[in-house]
Amino acid sequence: MEERSRSEKDASPGLVSAAIQAITQHIRTEGLGPGDLLPSEADMTRRLNVSRTVVREALRSLSAMRLIDMSAGRRASVAKLDISAMSMVIEHGVTTEQISVQQVYDVRRTIEMRTVALAALRRTDAEAAEIADRARLMRENCKEPEIVMEHDIAFHEAIAKASHNPVFALIVNAFSGVTRRTWVIGWRTRASEAEQLKMIEGHIEIARAIGAGDPRRAADHMAEHFDMSVKALIDAGIA
């Protein structure tokens, strides 16, 4: 019991927090990139003058935040960008009613009007074709809502990727969890087939504007799309 108490004291939150800051500072100062190895636990213990327990807790925390990769028998390495941590924060906020669905859509509207304008200016021919294909597949599968939803989500992620700004791509991809929770509700609110096809046609118009390299028209269509989506959620009673 005494040994356990000493170990817990050695790994106090203050020491672990300081170790986390030191490790992230090391990544910055050494210019480490995805896949690059961090110093060994023993080396970090000596450098930071803390117990190995503190170093392990710090590494576990960084791994949980998806900033580093850890696997048994191997040294920790710098992780690639991962949406999971941000996505979990957004979903937790919605689940615990600290963030409303409408607030999420308001932020998405603002961000995606910018991403779609950049996509119209920067997209490659292959990216424009992928965006158009996603809209086409939404229309071809209009009788299968779950398939339409997956192509809809992929459509927005493809636009963010075509903006050639990885920060936008990271943020838009992080919204996918909340989107999957609300999309079907919004779809069902559009009771008639004509209303559902109108929603899909909005995506097709966005794709056409991107293909034509027209950022203003693309942003206008994206704004209209989100205004319609928010109305559908309000009609469904989602605040």
Side-chain angles (χ1 to χ4, degrees):
M1 180 69 70
E2 183 180 348
E3 182 179 350
R4 179 181 175 185
S5 178
R6 187 184 302 114
S7 175
E8 290 174 349
K9 184 178 179 180
D10 287 344
S12 67
L15 287 175
V16 173
S17 178
I20 290 172
Q21 293 178 24
I23 295 168
T24 55
Q25 179 65 30
H26 173 82
I27 293 172
R28 289 194 295 271
T29 56
E30 295 298 319
L32 301 184
D36 290 340
L37 296 176
L38 295 175
S40 66
E41 285 186 8
D43 191 8
M44 282 192 277
T45 297
R46 288 192 298 272
R47 292 188 190 196
L48 304 179
N49 193 29
V50 294
S51 69
R52 184 165 287 195
T53 301
V54 169
V55 170
R56 286 176 178 169
E57 286 298 319
L59 291 175
R60 275 195 280 265
S61 295
L62 288 167
S63 177
M65 291 185 282
R66 299 302 305 127
L67 299 181
I68 66 171
D69 289 324
M70 294 178 63
S71 57
R74 298 186 63 185
R75 280 163 55 189
S77 62
V78 179
K80 294 181 180 179
L81 288 175
D82 190 322
I83 68 165
S84 58
M86 186 182 298
S87 181
M88 287 177 63
V89 169
I90 294 171
E91 289 191 65
H92 175 71
V94 172
T95 299
T96 57
E97 298 183 351
Q98 299 178 70
I99 302 172
S100 73
V101 171
Q102 286 192 43
Q103 286 170 336
V104 171
Y105 272 74
D106 185 36
V107 172
R108 279 194 62 188
R109 183 185 191 277
T110 302
I111 290 173
E112 295 208 42
M113 283 180 66
R114 180 58 177 164
T115 61
V116 77
L118 290 176
L121 294 170
R122 299 175 176 175
R123 91 298 183 279
T124 64
D125 290 344
E127 288 168 340
E130 179 184 358
I131 293 166
D133 282 344
R134 291 295 183 180
R136 175 181 56 80
L137 288 167
M138 287 176 67
R139 183 166 56 187
E140 290 180 0
N141 293 279
C142 63
K143 301 293 186 182
E144 302 290 340
E146 291 188 1
I147 297 177
V148 176
M149 177 183 71
E150 293 303 325
H151 287 301
D152 190 349
I153 292 171
F155 174 87
H156 288 275
E157 291 178 352
I159 291 172
K161 179 181 176 183
S163 77
H164 291 247
N165 183 329
V167 179
F168 281 138
L170 186 70
I171 295 171
V172 170
N173 289 6
F175 288 130
S176 61
V178 172
T179 300
R180 284 190 170 86
R181 292 173 54 175
T182 59
W183 191 95
V184 173
I185 297 171
W187 177 263
R188 289 173 181 166
T189 302
R190 299 174 172 96
S192 70
E193 183 177 340
E195 290 176 309
Q196 293 167 355
L197 288 174
K198 182 178 179 181
M199 185 275 280
I200 293 173
E201 187 62 33
H203 290 73
I204 293 171
E205 290 299 326
I206 292 169
R208 285 173 179 160
I210 292 172
D214 189 335
R216 178 171 294 183
R217 184 156 59 94
D220 286 345
H221 283 304
M222 184 66 80
E224 182 181 3
H225 163 58
F226 271 99
D227 290 344
M228 290 173 58
S229 296
V230 169
K231 181 181 183 303
L233 292 175
I234 291 173
D235 290 345
I238 296 179

